[in-house]
């Protein structure tokens, strides 16, 4: 928008260069249009009129996603043949649990109040999963049944985060395991 008044003048090249390099030659009407375009551009850049709570929420969600991506990269970089692999995995899972707990503590603006239950459930399922993984790897043995229980809770936690992100993107939530209940107001 800022460049529209200047670009309109490209038909007359001499006048175009005069207008850019000698702004005092611009007509009053063009000067006003140029000033309004600049002000509008500044408002767009500063996000004037946006809800600070929504901006903070979006920043917190983005930070959560970045943190999860870093943890995921760490988990995937573990050498499964290493003697310390399970300890590394459990350490990353502990970080994951802390990230999900922080997700549940994020201040959710009124506009997204319906997401509060999703963040709480995601955190709860992840805590259960991490505790079960610790139990599965206790001592020198591996408890397959406890690990399966942990995996199921891990998937439930991620399912809630996936739904949360889909809602934020405005996508329709579908699937055999999804029930959408109308909310009366």
């Amino acid at each position: 928008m800022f460049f529209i008044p200047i670009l309109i003048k490209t038909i007359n090249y001499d006048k175009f260069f005069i207008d850019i390099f000698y702004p005092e030659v611009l007509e009053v009407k063009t000067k006003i249009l140029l000033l309004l375009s600049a002000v509008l551009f500044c408002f767009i850049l500063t996000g004037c009129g946006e809800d600070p709570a929504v901006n903070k929420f979006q920043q917190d969600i983005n930070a959560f996603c970045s943190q999860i991506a870093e943890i995921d990269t760490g988990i995937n970089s573990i050498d499964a043949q290493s003697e310390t692999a399970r300890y590394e995995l459990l350490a990353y899972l502990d970080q994951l649990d802390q990230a999900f707990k922080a997700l549940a503590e994020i201040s959710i603006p009124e506009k997204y109040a319906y997401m509060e239950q999703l963040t709480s459930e995601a955190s709860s399922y992840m805590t259960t999963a991490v505790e079960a993984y610790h139990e599965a790897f206790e001592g020198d043995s591996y408890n397959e049944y406890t690990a399966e229980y942990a995996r199921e809770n891990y998937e439930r936690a991620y399912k809630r985060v996936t739904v949360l992100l889909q809602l934020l993107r405005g996508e329709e939530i579908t699937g055999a395991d999804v029930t959408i209940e109308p909310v009366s107001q």
Side-chain angles (χ1 to χ4, degrees):
M1 290 185 166
F2 179 75
F3 299 105
I4 290 174
I6 295 172
L7 294 178
I8 291 172
K9 298 181 184 316
T10 59
I11 296 170
N12 182 345
Y13 291 107
D14 294 335
K15 184 168 177 12
F16 174 70
F17 287 109
I18 291 172
D19 288 346
I20 289 178
F21 296 109
Y22 303 98
E24 64 273 2
V25 179
L26 289 174
E27 297 174 16
V28 174
K29 200 179 205 181
T30 307
K31 285 182 181 180
I32 292 172
L33 186 58
L34 185 62
L35 179 64
L36 288 175
S37 297
V39 169
L40 181 62
F41 184 71
C42 289
F43 278 123
I44 290 170
L45 285 181
T46 60
C48 185
E50 292 183 16
D51 186 353
V54 172
N55 287 342
K56 174 82 168 97
F57 175 66
Q58 291 172 341
Q59 289 172 354
D60 290 345
I61 292 294
N62 289 338
F64 169 78
C65 291
S66 295
Q67 187 177 11
I68 296 305
E70 288 176 24
I71 294 169
D72 183 58
T73 300
I75 289 172
N76 290 321
S77 70
I78 296 173
D79 177 10
Q81 304 305 318
S82 169
E83 290 182 20
T84 62
R86 73 174 167 176
Y87 302 113
E88 291 175 53
L89 175 62
L90 292 174
Y92 281 120
L93 290 173
D94 288 339
Q95 290 177 23
L96 199 58
D97 187 30
Q98 291 306 312
F100 273 73
K101 285 179 180 175
L103 173 67
E105 296 300 318
I106 288 176
S107 177
I108 300 176
E110 184 71 30
K111 179 179 179 179
Y112 300 113
Y114 59 93
M115 295 181 183
E116 199 162 331
Q117 184 177 350
L118 285 172
T119 61
S120 179
E121 288 177 1
S123 175
S124 177
Y125 280 126
M126 186 55 72
T127 296
T128 301
V130 171
E131 289 170 355
Y133 275 124
H134 275 277
E135 189 178 318
F137 286 106
E138 242 177 34
D140 293 330
S141 63
Y142 173 74
N143 185 325
E144 186 178 333
Y145 299 109
T146 306
E148 178 62 23
Y149 175 70
R151 185 192 59 76
E152 289 171 3
N153 281 283
Y154 181 86
E155 289 175 359
R156 288 180 187 129
Y158 268 100
K159 177 67 176 176
R160 271 124 184 106
V161 169
T162 301
V163 169
L164 174 89
L165 295 176
Q166 287 174 322
L167 289 170
L168 286 173
R169 289 188 297 247
E171 297 174 10
E172 186 175 328
I173 311 303
T174 60
D177 58 342
V178 175
T179 305
I180 299 177
E181 298 175 9
V183 178
S184 60
Q185 293 186 13

